[in-house]
Amino acid sequence: MRRFETASLALIPGQRVLAKVTSHHPWGVIVQIVGHEDVGASIDMIAQFGEMIGVDQDLLALFPKVGTEIDAVVQHVRRWNSPAWVRLSIRPADLESFEWPCDFCGQLTTLSAPGDGLVLDIRSNDGPGSSTIISHRTCLADNIHSESIGERVRALGVGQNTGRTPAT
């Protein structure tokens, strides 16, 4: 395995994507993310709709047909071992506004634009694999050392359209 798998780095939780259904399985569907065909992806239909439906036949009716292109949102990217794998959501509420628990405070944070959430990729300089931390902007800023004022300010502003060009 290469030190860091890089193909999946373009995909982050909360990102809207277009996915093509390639196969059905008892738990859900395997898909290809259009423009990111080299990264494996799936939609766990039981996890997303099982409690709502309850009857297997009704759940199967929700499975998108093989060959269909569907709108989805990145729910999770697993990179801690090879190959990287992306879990997508097609829940209508997630497509409208994707929320996930903050790994600092446990409360939901909105990852879709213009949300209050951040996605942090964690890597080590001495080996392969990486992981992802989800955080509210304020939770991250509050956990950065008080003397690192610049990093605290950047954590609160990263991804925000301020209309200013950052100083170099």
Side-chain angles (χ1 to χ4, degrees), residues 15 19 26 28 31 36 38 50 96 104 114 119 139 145 154 159 165:
Q15 178 181 353
V31 297
H36 303 278
D38 50 347
E96 187 175 318
F104 289 105
V119 178
C139 287
H145 192 276
R154 282 186 276 284
T165 303

Side-chain angles (χ1 to χ4, degrees), residues 47-134:
Q48 291 183 34
F49 301 105
E51 290 180 21
M52 179 180 84
I53 300 298
V55 178
D56 289 342
Q57 293 296 25
D58 291 338
L59 180 61
L60 291 175
L62 292 176
F63 280 43
K65 293 181 181 178
V66 172
T68 303
E69 288 189 350
I70 55 174
D71 289 321
V73 64
V74 175
Q75 183 177 35
H76 181 76
V77 183
R78 181 187 57 83
R79 296 186 188 102
W80 54 85
N81 55 25
S82 187
W85 197 263
V86 178
R87 178 66 53 91
L88 300 176
S89 174
I90 60 170
R91 284 182 250 190
D94 288 346
L95 290 168
E96 187 175 318
S97 179
F98 184 73
E99 297 180 321
W100 198 258
C102 171
D103 288 312
F104 289 105
C105 73
Q107 300 298 312
L108 291 177
T109 184
T110 303
L111 294 172
S112 49
D116 60 345
L118 295 173
V119 178
L120 295 90
D121 285 319
I122 301 169
R123 300 179 218 166
S124 170
N125 67 356
D126 63 353
S130 65
S131 189
T132 300
I133 298 286
I134 303 298

Side-chain angles (χ1 to χ4, degrees), residues 137 157-165:
R137 291 173 188 283
V158 69
Q160 300 292 312
N161 185 2
T162 62
R164 295 188 324 227
T165 303

